[in-house]
Amino acid sequence: MSTATLAAASLNLEPANESGMDQLLEIAMGPQHPSTHGVFRMNVVLDGERVVRLKPVFGYLHRNHEKIAENETYLGSMPYTDRLDYMCPLTNNWAYALAVEKLAGIQVPERAEYLRVITGELTRLQNHTCLIGFLMQDMGASGTPLMYAFRQREIILDLFEALTGARMMCNYMRFGGCRVDLPAGWLDQAKKVVAGFPRFLDEYESLLVSNEILMDRTQDVGVLSKELAISAGISGPMARASGVDYDIRKVDHYSIYDRFAFRVPLGSHGDVYDRFMIRLLEMRESVNILQQAMRDIPEGPIVDPKTKIRGFRPKPGEAYGRIEGPKGELGFYLVSDGSPNPYRYRVRPPSLINLTILEDLCLGRNVADIVVILGSIDIVMGEVDR
Amino acid sequence: MDEKLKTELSKQGIFTTSLQELYNWGRTSSIWPLNFGLACCAIEMIATTMARYDLARFGAEVFRPSPRQADLMIVAGTVTKKMAPQVVRLYNQMPEPKYVISMGACAISGGPFKQGYNVLKGIDRYIPVDIYIPGCPPRPEALIDAFMELQKKIDAQQLTGENRPRHLNADEPSEFIVPQFGEHDLEPTRNSSIWEPPLVQIAQTGSDESGSH
Amino acid sequence: MNLEAIKSEIEANVPGCRLELIANPSPSGQHSLLLDAEHASAVALYLRDTPNLRFDFCSNITGIDWPGKEVSQKIKVRKLVDGVEQEVEETRITTIPGSLEVVYHLYSVEKKHGPIVLRMRTKDRDAGVHLPSFTPIWRSAELQEREIFDLFGVLFDGHPDLRRLLMWDEFQDYPMRRDYVDPDDYEYEPTAHDAVLQRARQHLSQANPVQPSEGEAR
């Protein structure tokens, strides 16, 4: 089946038996629901326990980020990017800085690139740990895995706080570099944290990977085919779990990722279990990258001295910059008309686009599986609705 | 009761209390919050309940997914206009006595997003708020501080008299109007009985005398 | 990958299509192709299915609003003034019609190249806001086109489920358009300045003609 027919077939789905319409139960999950990861709503039509239709409803956290950014200077939008995907502020900063650097043709000094890689990969670690924690929580493993995840997250947030001054809203990157250099002793502390991380991963893995309940709940649940994943624009760990070999760190050669040896884990089934495993494996690769980056980080300036902070006006034009965020392809598209504010500022939200296929994954499954499938997509509403 | 006599008696193993103290003590030590996160602040709220900050020390770790079982609504994050009717409805569904913590700049006033066309400029336009915590997002310590402030507030509530709280006064409303989606904005845009825009002194004529830099 | 070459390749293979190369002066060098609405789907299919291109990943779809502009020109005209022919300067106002633009960023997962930037423009901003939907070609367009319909008001013909995505269904306006006026519900800051002060003044003069006298304010 070609991708076009695949897409069309899954869109116009009639309930299985038309005569039994009165037997169907229509429920609204959300916007206040403990498992929807924020204010997300799904209008679900059920035949008994089986899902026959699922329509997501968005916009409960539509904070008009793009409109506000049009009335804000380029740098003025940087703190707003923190609040997009509020689990990973630093990668959001990075994607935005990258887009502006493309737009204005700014070079980033060596040390700043290393700082970006280090903070970006730390962000990926804490995002993936928490995602797995939340996924387990959704599955009913109330408390413990999430506690473990947050324990680890707090350690990484301590590093962020020491470096940027804020736990969550870091506002760290600048066009052409980073805001502040590493404080004394930070690198040693970070090395310790990263060195301790594999031990945590071992522990996590031994608890979860071969857990029978987890395998029962996740294997062959929410299977996403490779073709549909590509056609629907699915990116990040979710696409790689379906076997799509596409990692923007490898494809775009942005920043200095070419210098590090790391592998891109791929899944073969595309089910929830694969998505869970991909994230575990990606964390191991992130630890690898971090160790190399922290070993090689050079001395030098952290910001391009030629970039203007005040009165920054890129020439008219446009640019699309993207990075491999923890959730997928995070891109920023900027149109400049030569004024201090962007004429158009667009965020390509991986969370929203990864939700395109939610209905396809859930059809025919039980209600309890919706929660698990949604958990494995890894969404953050701040980014979905912007 | 005389405080001195009370301490003297307690030294001899006799504890005395008043009904009000007992009642308030029970309620302060078991606040059940609604499991209700809106945005970024919700992550800090979760962090507060996790191992390092451990909200359970304050008797408030039992997050209830259903408003019918909750005493406290933590409005954690930006309330958008699309979400505001649901927030008010959830509040109406909570049984009395109920309290509201407005967590973070967004829930207080719209915060950084207040220029947005879909952002509600403060949840206190529709429901009464007991505690405001500033911050974007507030640290877990700040949320714990808000809890302690709320506990103080509950502790000081009187069972009888003029100053008795809303839930003991049958004349006071416990439900508030749920706004409806309009063609351009919510209708009504605020609950006038609990919130009016503050009067601000603005010179009508003359150029920008303030703040133009 | 040369956009010029891709353009001539498409022109040779999709008969009748009109493409225009829009140069991008910024250092990013991401030039784009302007498609005509009639042949857009054919061009998109060609880009997706041709073995050497294979743009199978529609990454990002953006709506942009270009409101109509009034350009005033000063021109010299010979006219009879008081019976004498004189050269008089006149201002002539020409209106450039606005349009809504949709920009697509395509990548290829198979060939690992990209981006190629496509754009389409509507005829105007009122009645002629129809554009063909790319959802049947790339599923990822589904939600993004709904978002553009919601915020800009572009009608995508052939979209299976064109509803508002972010705002509620009763909402009438298109808030991301440049001429959108948002509802008057600003928080009135005690130390208002600049835009906030302006808005507060506007609000006070509209909604509340009777001013609080100075000093009465709290």
Side-chain angles (χ1 to χ4, degrees):
Chain A
M1 200 157 40
S2 83
T3 40
T5 46
L6 234 169
S10 50
L11 278 174
N12 301 314
L13 240 145
E14 289 305 312
N17 52 340
E18 203 60 62
S19 56
M21 266 308 265
D22 54 337
Q23 310 262 315
L24 299 182
L25 175 68
E26 210 177 326
I27 56 166
M29 281 176 81
Q32 144 62 10
H33 190 275
S35 70
T36 52
H37 295 245
V39 280
F40 180 57
R41 174 171 165 188
M42 291 168 281
N43 287 338
V44 193
V45 179
L46 298 174
D47 178 9
E49 232 350 55
R50 205 168 54 87
V51 179
V52 284
R53 183 180 293 166
L54 185 147
K55 293 288 173 209
V57 182
F58 304 90
Y60 291 103
L61 195 56
H62 178 43
R63 301 193 277 195
N64 328 119
H65 176 51
E66 291 179 5
K67 185 82 178 178
I68 292 171
E70 285 175 7
N71 302 316
E72 196 64 70
T73 58
Y74 281 87
L75 190 58
S77 294
M78 187 62 91
Y80 286 94
T81 61
D82 288 333
R83 288 155 182 84
L84 266 178
D85 171 359
Y86 36 78
M87 291 299 283
C88 2
L90 285 156
T91 44
N92 299 347
N93 283 180
W94 191 358
Y96 179 50
L98 191 84
V100 176
E101 281 150 13
K102 274 195 175 174
L103 182 69
I106 302 170
Q107 295 301 314
V108 183
E110 188 99 326
R111 185 173 172 86
E113 292 281 25
Y114 273 91
L115 289 178
R116 287 181 176 190
V117 169
I118 292 170
T119 50
E121 292 302 322
L122 281 172
T123 305
R124 197 183 311 277
L125 284 182
Q126 61 93 5
N127 178 70
H128 284 359
T129 33
C130 288
L131 177 263
I132 292 171
F134 283 124
L135 182 62
M136 297 306 135
Q137 179 101 339
D138 291 346
M139 243 175 260
S142 204
T144 317
L146 194 58
M147 287 268 185
Y148 277 43
F150 265 75
R151 186 191 64 196
Q152 214 59 28
R153 179 175 187 262
E154 291 290 344
I155 295 170
I156 293 175
L157 289 195
D158 283 347
L159 290 176
F160 289 167
E161 194 179 355
L163 177 58
T164 69
R167 279 159 55 84
M168 275 173 75
M169 303 308 171
C170 299
N171 186 16
Y172 180 60
M173 314 264 174
R174 289 289 177 267
F175 313 137
C178 299
R179 180 159 54 89
V180 284
D181 208 340
L182 299 178
W186 192 90
L187 208 56
D188 297 326
Q189 186 59 35
K191 277 177 185 161
K192 243 182 254 168
V193 170
V194 173
F197 212 84
R199 218 184 113 241
F200 160 73
L201 284 178
D202 291 341
E203 189 186 23
Y204 224 38
E205 269 179 22
S206 67
L207 282 172
L208 299 174
V209 169
S210 54
N211 183 307
E212 193 150 343
I213 302 172
L214 187 137
M215 295 208 285
D216 270 3
R217 287 294 305 273
T218 57
Q219 286 181 345
D220 286 325
V221 172
V223 178
L224 174 65
S225 72
K226 191 176 171 181
E227 291 73 34
L228 183 59
I230 295 172
S231 163
I234 309 300
S235 51
M238 180 135 177
R240 290 193 287 276
S242 296
V244 181
D245 182 12
Y246 199 70
D247 187 321
I248 297 167
R249 291 176 291 182
K250 293 271 191 198
V251 174
D252 274 15
H253 311 284
Y254 71 94
S255 190
I256 46 164
Y257 274 112
D258 280 352
R259 300 183 193 177
F260 307 120
F262 68 101
R263 292 171 301 170
V264 179
L266 291 180
S268 48
H269 296 88
D271 56 4
V272 174
Y273 188 77
D274 271 13
R275 275 170 235 148
F276 154 76
M277 277 308 291
I278 288 285
R279 285 174 176 118
L280 272 180
L281 295 171
E282 267 191 14
M283 283 197 272
R284 299 230 178 242
E285 296 306 318
S286 287
V287 169
N288 262 342
I289 298 173
L290 276 167
Q291 278 166 344
Q292 296 170 51
M294 289 195 291
R295 186 192 62 208
D296 299 341
I297 182 167
E299 290 298 320
I302 54 155
V303 74
D304 182 8
K306 277 177 293 185
T307 39
K308 281 202 275 181
I309 302 252
R310 277 170 189 277
F312 177 73
R313 286 160 181 262
K315 291 192 186 70
E318 56 177 51
Y320 178 68
R322 58 173 195 167
I323 65 161
E324 178 73 34
K327 305 236 178 342
E329 175 188 337
L330 177 63
F332 281 80
Y333 173 59
L334 300 164
V335 179
S336 164
D337 59 351
S339 69
N341 304 349
Y343 183 81
R344 178 77 172 97
Y345 170 106
R346 153 89 180 160
V347 187
R348 189 245 186 230
S351 299
L352 173 69
I353 295 164
N354 286 358
L355 277 176
T356 311
I357 39 71
L358 180 65
E359 185 177 15
D360 306 49
L361 299 191
C362 293
L363 286 177
R365 306 297 317 184
N366 292 344
V367 194
D369 292 337
I370 300 177
V371 174
V372 179
I373 290 167
L374 185 70
S376 75
I377 294 176
D378 190 9
I379 57 164
V380 160
M381 290 318 288
E383 193 175 72
V384 173
D385 294 337
R386 286 151 291 136
Chain B
M1 190 176 181
D2 185 33
E3 282 298 316
K4 266 188 188 162
L5 179 62
K6 208 170 153 184
T7 32
E8 199 53 45
L9 280 173
S10 73
K11 277 177 193 162
Q12 296 171 26
I14 301 165
F15 287 91
T16 52
T17 183
S18 65
L19 183 62
Q20 179 178 313
E21 269 176 29
L22 192 66
Y23 179 75
N24 284 345
W25 171 76
R27 291 195 305 121
T28 44
S29 333
S30 65
I31 304 170
W32 287 10
L34 181 62
N35 188 352
F36 176 59
L38 290 170
C40 333
C41 292
I43 303 292
E44 286 296 60
M45 186 174 83
I46 296 167
T48 315
T49 62
M50 290 296 151
R52 183 183 283 187
Y53 297 99
D54 196 10
L55 199 60
R57 293 175 293 160
F58 301 88
E61 84 279 22
V62 195
F63 273 78
R64 305 309 297 185
S66 162
R68 304 279 184 207
Q69 303 164 340
D71 316 310
L72 168 68
M73 176 188 248
I74 304 174
V75 185
T78 318
V79 188
T80 60
K81 286 179 183 166
K82 193 167 179 176
M83 190 63 197
Q86 274 72 267
V87 177
V88 181
R89 199 166 283 136
L90 283 168
Y91 181 75
N92 287 347
Q93 286 171 350
M94 284 164 61
E96 289 280 9
K98 54 189 173 187
Y99 302 92
V100 175
I101 290 180
S102 179
M103 181 182 183
C106 291
I108 295 173
S109 70
F113 294 97
K114 75 172 190 173
Q115 299 107 305
Y117 48 86
N118 190 29
V119 175
L120 188 71
K121 282 85 187 168
I123 188 61
D124 52 2
R125 294 187 178 205
Y126 290 114
I127 56 175
V129 174
D130 295 277
I131 309 282
Y132 297 87
I133 343 169
C136 190
R139 296 176 61 90
E141 291 94 329
L143 183 59
I144 291 174
D145 182 50
F147 259 97
M148 291 162 72
E149 285 299 321
L150 183 66
Q151 288 180 330
K152 277 182 211 157
K153 182 170 179 170
I154 296 174
D155 240 351
Q157 284 183 340
Q158 292 168 357
L159 291 187
T160 51
E162 274 303 293
N163 296 329
R164 65 191 194 275
R166 193 183 61 219
H167 67 276
L168 295 172
N169 190 343
D171 301 334
E172 295 266 342
S174 79
E175 294 195 359
F176 295 85
I177 22 169
V178 179
Q180 302 294 315
F181 292 135
E183 292 185 352
H184 307 285
D185 201 354
L186 290 178
E187 286 162 7
T189 53
R190 61 173 184 268
N191 185 346
S192 305
S193 63
I194 56 169
W195 189 86
E196 277 297 330
L199 284 174
V200 178
Q201 179 181 344
I202 292 164
Q204 273 285 281
T205 50
S207 59
D208 274 351
E209 64 290 319
S210 60
S212 44
H213 32 225
Chain C
M1 259 203 340
N2 192 346
L3 199 64
E4 204 68 65
I6 294 177
K7 179 174 173 255
S8 40
E9 196 187 321
I10 299 171
E11 275 166 344
N13 287 288
V14 182
C17 75
R18 295 183 303 278
L19 299 178
E20 192 187 324
L21 205 146
I22 310 268
N24 178 3
S26 99
S28 70
Q30 293 166 344
H31 309 296
S32 50
L33 282 178
L34 181 68
L35 312 182
D36 62 322
E38 294 96 278
H39 299 91
S41 297
V43 172
L45 269 174
Y46 180 79
L47 284 172
R48 191 192 72 181
D49 293 337
T50 312
N52 67 324
L53 299 174
R54 286 295 284 148
F55 285 101
D56 48 8
F57 190 82
C58 180
S59 167
N60 181 31
I61 306 178
T62 313
I64 308 178
D65 181 20
W66 300 100
K69 264 191 252 171
E70 289 198 334
V71 182
S72 58
Q73 266 182 316
K74 282 195 174 161
I75 38 168
K76 289 186 175 163
V77 205
R78 293 197 82 79
K79 243 187 189 177
L80 278 174
V81 182
D82 302 331
V84 190
E85 203 181 15
Q86 276 184 337
E87 205 168 72
V88 184
E89 248 188 24
E90 243 183 32
T91 338
R92 187 174 292 172
I93 293 169
T94 37
T95 324
I96 300 172
S99 66
L100 299 168
E101 190 176 55
V102 182
V103 185
Y104 300 82
H105 287 83
L106 309 180
Y107 284 87
S108 170
V109 168
E110 194 183 303
K111 299 271 170 198
K112 305 228 180 341
H113 58 208
I116 181 170
V117 190
L118 307 179
R119 9 177 40 107
M120 280 196 279
R121 288 182 190 152
T122 59
K123 288 195 196 78
D124 52 42
R125 294 168 75 245
D126 314 306
V129 289
H130 289 267
L131 284 180
S133 166
F134 280 176
T135 309
I137 301 165
W138 293 287
R139 187 68 200 283
S140 61
E142 188 189 340
L143 294 180
Q144 301 191 69
E145 285 182 346
R146 267 180 73 186
E147 184 187 327
I148 293 167
F149 162 70
D150 183 356
L151 303 181
F152 290 90
V154 179
L155 292 165
F156 290 97
D157 300 328
H159 192 287
D161 185 21
L162 199 63
R163 287 177 294 135
R164 283 193 177 265
L165 180 81
L166 298 173
M167 302 303 285
W168 53 88
D169 291 333
E170 294 86 351
F171 198 70
Q172 295 288 317
D173 308 325
Y174 301 115
M176 279 298 282
R177 289 197 184 184
R178 303 293 283 198
D179 50 6
Y180 170 74
V181 184
D182 43 328
D184 184 17
D185 61 348
Y186 241 60
E187 172 92 4
Y188 309 101
E189 289 184 359
T191 54
H193 59 82
D194 298 347
V196 180
L197 179 68
Q198 223 171 34
R199 287 197 59 145
R201 273 197 194 129
Q202 213 180 344
H203 171 84
L204 286 174
S205 59
Q206 276 171 7
N208 185 16
V210 186
Q211 278 298 302
S213 62
E214 294 195 14
E216 206 183 283
R218 56 190 152 106

